[in-house]
Structure formats: structure tokens, C-alpha cells
Amino acid sequence: MTEDHSGRNDSAPLPGELREDIEATRIQLGQAVDTAADEAGKADVKTRAQDKAAEVGAQVQDKAAEVGAQVQDKTAEILARVQGRATEVKDQVQGRATDVKDQVQGTATEVRGQVEEAAGQAAEAARRGRVPLLAWAGGVAVLTYVLLRRSRRSSR
């Protein structure tokens, strides 16, 4: 090694050169870190996207299960209400049918009694020779018969 007049070795870098080398190394190191971070970020974005997709998929499954359970609950509730209402309506119809049947039977018994009475009166009038009374009794019998048939038809 050669020394110059100041007593320094020529191969030793100067402080300015050292500073430039340090700055260049810092720049290269910063670029390397940035490149590594970009690569890691890209990999991280893919991982985050996969994680988010899995999370959303789980949320969708949870929501679908929740909605399915709600649908089953509502269906059971509606079915119970419909069955209850159907039973009420059936009971009302049966009650009304019984009432109508009782009314028809009562009317039929009453009409039968009136017909028998009119027939008896007609027979008595016929024995006495009263034709107009017999005609009246026959008319009452026919009218009673027609009314009885109408009431039976309307109750069906």
C-alpha cells in the first residue's frame, strides 16, 4: 500500500465515499423491503380474499339456517291456526245443521198434525155432505204437502 503525504492509506475510503456507499445501500435496502412488502401484500390480499369469502360463506349458511327455521316455525303456526279455525267452522256447521234439522222436524210434526186434523174434518164433512168443506180440507192438505217439501229441499 502506498501512503500519501497526509499519512493515509490509498485503499481506505474517504468519509464522503463511505457516506455515499451507506446511502446507496440504504436505497437498495429500502427498494428490497418495498419489493418484499409488495409481494407479501399481494399474497396477503389473496389470503384476505379467501378468508373473507369463507367468512361470507359461513354467514350465508347461518342466515339460510335461520330463515329456514323461521319458515318452519311460521308454517307450523299457520297450520295450527288453520286447523283450529277448521275445527271451529266444523262445529258451527254441525250446530247449525242440528238446529235446522230440529226446526224441520218440529215443522213437519206440526204440519202433520194440521193435515190429520184437516183430513179428519174433511172426512166428517164428507159424511155430512159438505162438499165445500171437503174441498177446503183437500186444499189445506195439498198446501201443507207443498210447504213441507219446500222446507225439506231448502234444508239440504
CSV table of all heavy atoms in Angstrom, one decimal, residues 3-35:
chain,number,residue,atom,x,y,z
A,3,GLU,N,1.2,5.2,0.7
A,3,GLU,CA,0.7,6.2,1.5
A,3,GLU,C,0.9,7.6,0.9
A,3,GLU,O,1.9,7.8,0.2
A,3,GLU,CB,1.5,6.2,2.9
A,3,GLU,CG,1.1,5.0,3.7
A,3,GLU,CD,1.7,5.1,5.1
A,3,GLU,OE1,2.2,6.2,5.5
A,3,GLU,OE2,1.7,4.1,5.7
A,4,ASP,N,0.0,8.4,1.1
A,4,ASP,CA,0.2,9.8,0.5
A,4,ASP,C,0.9,10.6,1.6
A,4,ASP,O,1.2,10.2,2.7
A,4,ASP,CB,-1.1,10.4,0.0
A,4,ASP,CG,-2.1,10.6,1.1
A,4,ASP,OD1,-1.8,10.3,2.3
A,4,ASP,OD2,-3.2,11.1,0.8
A,5,HIS,N,1.1,11.9,1.3
A,5,HIS,CA,1.8,12.8,2.2
A,5,HIS,C,1.0,13.1,3.5
A,5,HIS,O,1.6,13.5,4.4
A,5,HIS,CB,2.1,14.1,1.5
A,5,HIS,CG,2.9,13.9,0.2
A,5,HIS,ND1,4.2,13.5,0.3
A,5,HIS,CD2,2.7,14.1,-1.1
A,5,HIS,CE1,4.7,13.4,-0.9
A,5,HIS,NE2,3.8,13.8,-1.8
A,6,SER,N,-0.3,12.8,3.5
A,6,SER,CA,-1.0,13.1,4.7
A,6,SER,C,-1.0,12.0,5.7
A,6,SER,O,-1.5,12.0,6.7
A,6,SER,CB,-2.5,13.5,4.3
A,6,SER,OG,-3.1,12.4,3.7
A,7,GLY,N,-0.4,10.9,5.3
A,7,GLY,CA,-0.2,9.7,6.1
A,7,GLY,C,-1.4,8.8,6.1
A,7,GLY,O,-1.6,8.0,7.0
A,8,ARG,N,-2.1,8.8,5.0
A,8,ARG,CA,-3.3,7.9,4.9
A,8,ARG,C,-3.0,6.9,3.9
A,8,ARG,O,-2.2,7.1,2.9
A,8,ARG,CB,-4.5,8.7,4.4
A,8,ARG,CG,-5.0,9.6,5.5
A,8,ARG,CD,-6.4,10.2,5.2
A,8,ARG,NE,-6.4,10.8,3.9
A,8,ARG,CZ,-7.5,10.9,3.2
A,8,ARG,NH1,-8.6,10.5,3.6
A,8,ARG,NH2,-7.5,11.4,2.0
A,9,ASN,N,-3.7,5.7,4.0
A,9,ASN,CA,-3.6,4.6,3.1
A,9,ASN,C,-4.6,4.9,1.9
A,9,ASN,O,-5.7,5.3,2.1
A,9,ASN,CB,-4.1,3.4,3.8
A,9,ASN,CG,-3.8,2.1,3.0
A,9,ASN,OD1,-3.5,2.2,1.8
A,9,ASN,ND2,-3.9,1.0,3.7
A,10,ASP,N,-4.1,4.7,0.7
A,10,ASP,CA,-4.9,5.0,-0.5
A,10,ASP,C,-6.1,4.1,-0.7
A,10,ASP,O,-7.1,4.4,-1.3
A,10,ASP,CB,-4.1,4.8,-1.8
A,10,ASP,CG,-3.2,6.1,-2.0
A,10,ASP,OD1,-3.5,7.1,-1.4
A,10,ASP,OD2,-2.2,5.9,-2.8
A,11,SER,N,-6.0,2.9,-0.1
A,11,SER,CA,-7.1,1.9,-0.3
A,11,SER,C,-8.3,2.2,0.7
A,11,SER,O,-9.4,1.7,0.5
A,11,SER,CB,-6.6,0.5,-0.1
A,11,SER,OG,-6.1,0.4,1.2
A,12,ALA,N,-8.1,3.0,1.7
A,12,ALA,CA,-9.1,3.3,2.6
A,12,ALA,C,-10.1,4.3,2.0
A,12,ALA,O,-9.6,5.3,1.5
A,12,ALA,CB,-8.5,3.8,3.9
A,13,PRO,N,-11.4,4.1,2.1
A,13,PRO,CA,-12.3,5.0,1.6
A,13,PRO,C,-12.4,6.3,2.4
A,13,PRO,O,-12.2,6.3,3.6
A,13,PRO,CB,-13.7,4.3,1.6
A,13,PRO,CG,-13.5,3.2,2.6
A,13,PRO,CD,-12.1,2.9,2.7
A,14,LEU,N,-12.7,7.3,1.7
A,14,LEU,CA,-12.9,8.6,2.4
A,14,LEU,C,-14.2,8.7,3.0
A,14,LEU,O,-15.2,8.0,2.7
A,14,LEU,CB,-12.8,9.7,1.3
A,14,LEU,CG,-11.4,9.8,0.6
A,14,LEU,CD1,-11.5,10.8,-0.5
A,14,LEU,CD2,-10.3,10.2,1.6
A,15,PRO,N,-14.4,9.5,4.0
A,15,PRO,CA,-15.7,9.6,4.7
A,15,PRO,C,-16.8,10.0,3.8
A,15,PRO,O,-17.9,9.5,3.9
A,15,PRO,CB,-15.5,10.8,5.7
A,15,PRO,CG,-14.0,10.8,6.0
A,15,PRO,CD,-13.4,10.4,4.7
A,16,GLY,N,-16.6,10.8,2.8
A,16,GLY,CA,-17.7,11.1,1.8
A,16,GLY,C,-18.1,9.9,1.0
A,16,GLY,O,-19.2,9.7,0.7
A,17,GLU,N,-17.1,9.1,0.6
A,17,GLU,CA,-17.4,7.9,-0.1
A,17,GLU,C,-18.1,6.9,0.7
A,17,GLU,O,-19.1,6.2,0.3
A,17,GLU,CB,-16.1,7.2,-0.6
A,17,GLU,CG,-15.3,8.0,-1.7
A,17,GLU,CD,-14.0,7.4,-2.1
A,17,GLU,OE1,-13.5,6.5,-1.3
A,17,GLU,OE2,-13.5,7.8,-3.1
A,18,LEU,N,-17.8,6.8,2.0
A,18,LEU,CA,-18.5,6.0,2.9
A,18,LEU,C,-19.9,6.4,3.0
A,18,LEU,O,-20.9,5.6,3.0
A,18,LEU,CB,-17.8,6.0,4.3
A,18,LEU,CG,-16.6,5.2,4.5
A,18,LEU,CD1,-16.0,5.3,5.9
A,18,LEU,CD2,-16.9,3.7,4.2
A,19,ARG,N,-20.1,7.7,3.1
A,19,ARG,CA,-21.5,8.2,3.2
A,19,ARG,C,-22.3,7.9,1.9
A,19,ARG,O,-23.5,7.5,2.0
A,19,ARG,CB,-21.5,9.7,3.4
A,19,ARG,CG,-21.1,10.1,4.8
A,19,ARG,CD,-21.3,11.6,5.1
A,19,ARG,NE,-20.6,12.0,6.2
A,19,ARG,CZ,-19.5,12.7,6.3
A,19,ARG,NH1,-19.0,13.2,5.2
A,19,ARG,NH2,-18.9,12.9,7.4
A,20,GLU,N,-21.7,8.0,0.8
A,20,GLU,CA,-22.4,7.7,-0.5
A,20,GLU,C,-22.7,6.2,-0.5
A,20,GLU,O,-23.8,5.8,-1.0
A,20,GLU,CB,-21.5,8.1,-1.7
A,20,GLU,CG,-21.4,9.5,-1.9
A,20,GLU,CD,-20.4,9.9,-3.0
A,20,GLU,OE1,-20.0,9.0,-3.7
A,20,GLU,OE2,-20.2,11.1,-3.1
A,21,ASP,N,-21.7,5.3,-0.1
A,21,ASP,CA,-22.0,3.9,-0.1
A,21,ASP,C,-23.1,3.5,0.9
A,21,ASP,O,-24.0,2.7,0.6
A,21,ASP,CB,-20.7,3.1,0.4
A,21,ASP,CG,-19.7,3.0,-0.7
A,21,ASP,OD1,-20.0,3.3,-1.9
A,21,ASP,OD2,-18.5,2.6,-0.4
A,22,ILE,N,-23.1,4.2,2.0
A,22,ILE,CA,-24.2,3.9,3.0
A,22,ILE,C,-25.5,4.3,2.4
A,22,ILE,O,-26.5,3.6,2.6
A,22,ILE,CB,-23.9,4.6,4.3
A,22,ILE,CG1,-22.7,4.0,5.0
A,22,ILE,CG2,-25.1,4.7,5.3
A,22,ILE,CD1,-22.2,4.7,6.3
A,23,GLU,N,-25.6,5.5,1.8
A,23,GLU,CA,-26.8,6.0,1.2
A,23,GLU,C,-27.3,5.1,0.1
A,23,GLU,O,-28.5,4.7,0.0
A,23,GLU,CB,-26.6,7.4,0.7
A,23,GLU,CG,-27.9,8.1,0.3
A,23,GLU,CD,-29.0,8.2,1.4
A,23,GLU,OE1,-28.6,8.4,2.5
A,23,GLU,OE2,-30.2,8.1,1.0
A,24,ALA,N,-26.4,4.6,-0.7
A,24,ALA,CA,-26.8,3.7,-1.8
A,24,ALA,C,-27.3,2.4,-1.3
A,24,ALA,O,-28.3,1.8,-1.7
A,24,ALA,CB,-25.6,3.5,-2.7
A,25,THR,N,-26.6,1.9,-0.2
A,25,THR,CA,-27.1,0.7,0.4
A,25,THR,C,-28.5,0.8,1.1
A,25,THR,O,-29.3,0.0,1.0
A,25,THR,CB,-26.0,0.2,1.5
A,25,THR,OG1,-24.8,0.1,0.9
A,25,THR,CG2,-26.4,-1.1,2.2
A,26,ARG,N,-28.6,2.0,1.7
A,26,ARG,CA,-30.0,2.3,2.3
A,26,ARG,C,-31.0,2.3,1.2
A,26,ARG,O,-32.1,1.7,1.4
A,26,ARG,CB,-30.0,3.7,3.0
A,26,ARG,CG,-29.4,3.6,4.3
A,26,ARG,CD,-29.5,5.0,5.0
A,26,ARG,NE,-28.8,5.0,6.2
A,26,ARG,CZ,-28.4,6.1,6.8
A,26,ARG,NH1,-28.6,7.3,6.2
A,26,ARG,NH2,-27.8,6.1,8.0
A,27,ILE,N,-30.8,2.9,0.1
A,27,ILE,CA,-31.7,3.0,-1.0
A,27,ILE,C,-32.0,1.6,-1.6
A,27,ILE,O,-33.2,1.2,-1.7
A,27,ILE,CB,-31.2,3.9,-2.2
A,27,ILE,CG1,-31.2,5.4,-1.7
A,27,ILE,CG2,-32.1,3.8,-3.4
A,27,ILE,CD1,-30.6,6.3,-2.6
A,28,GLN,N,-31.0,0.8,-1.8
A,28,GLN,CA,-31.2,-0.6,-2.3
A,28,GLN,C,-31.9,-1.4,-1.2
A,28,GLN,O,-32.8,-2.2,-1.6
A,28,GLN,CB,-29.8,-1.3,-2.5
A,28,GLN,CG,-29.1,-0.7,-3.7
A,28,GLN,CD,-27.7,-1.3,-3.9
A,28,GLN,OE1,-27.2,-2.0,-3.0
A,28,GLN,NE2,-27.0,-1.0,-5.0
A,29,LEU,N,-31.6,-1.2,0.0
A,29,LEU,CA,-32.3,-2.0,1.1
A,29,LEU,C,-33.8,-1.6,1.1
A,29,LEU,O,-34.7,-2.4,1.3
A,29,LEU,CB,-31.6,-1.7,2.4
A,29,LEU,CG,-32.2,-2.5,3.6
A,29,LEU,CD1,-32.2,-4.0,3.4
A,29,LEU,CD2,-31.4,-2.2,4.9
A,30,GLY,N,-34.1,-0.3,1.0
A,30,GLY,CA,-35.4,0.2,1.0
A,30,GLY,C,-36.2,-0.3,-0.2
A,30,GLY,O,-37.4,-0.7,0.0
A,31,GLN,N,-35.6,-0.4,-1.3
A,31,GLN,CA,-36.2,-0.9,-2.5
A,31,GLN,C,-36.5,-2.4,-2.3
A,31,GLN,O,-37.6,-2.9,-2.7
A,31,GLN,CB,-35.4,-0.7,-3.8
A,31,GLN,CG,-35.3,0.7,-4.2
A,31,GLN,CD,-34.3,1.0,-5.3
A,31,GLN,OE1,-33.5,0.1,-5.7
A,31,GLN,NE2,-34.4,2.2,-5.9
A,32,ALA,N,-35.5,-3.1,-1.7
A,32,ALA,CA,-35.7,-4.5,-1.5
A,32,ALA,C,-36.9,-4.8,-0.5
A,32,ALA,O,-37.7,-5.7,-0.7
A,32,ALA,CB,-34.4,-5.1,-0.9
A,33,VAL,N,-36.9,-3.9,0.5
A,33,VAL,CA,-38.0,-4.0,1.5
A,33,VAL,C,-39.4,-3.7,0.9
A,33,VAL,O,-40.4,-4.4,1.1
A,33,VAL,CB,-37.8,-3.1,2.7
A,33,VAL,CG1,-39.0,-3.0,3.6
A,33,VAL,CG2,-36.6,-3.6,3.5
A,34,ASP,N,-39.4,-2.7,0.0
A,34,ASP,CA,-40.6,-2.3,-0.7
A,34,ASP,C,-41.1,-3.5,-1.6
A,34,ASP,O,-42.3,-3.8,-1.6
A,34,ASP,CB,-40.5,-1.1,-1.5
A,34,ASP,CG,-40.4,0.2,-0.7
A,34,ASP,OD1,-40.8,0.1,0.5
A,34,ASP,OD2,-40.0,1.2,-1.2
A,35,THR,N,-40.2,-4.1,-2.3
A,35,THR,CA,-40.5,-5.2,-3.2
A,35,THR,C,-41.0,-6.4,-2.4
A,35,THR,O,-42.0,-7.0,-2.7
A,35,THR,CB,-39.2,-5.6,-4.0
A,35,THR,OG1,-38.8,-4.5,-4.8
A,35,THR,CG2,-39.6,-6.7,-4.9
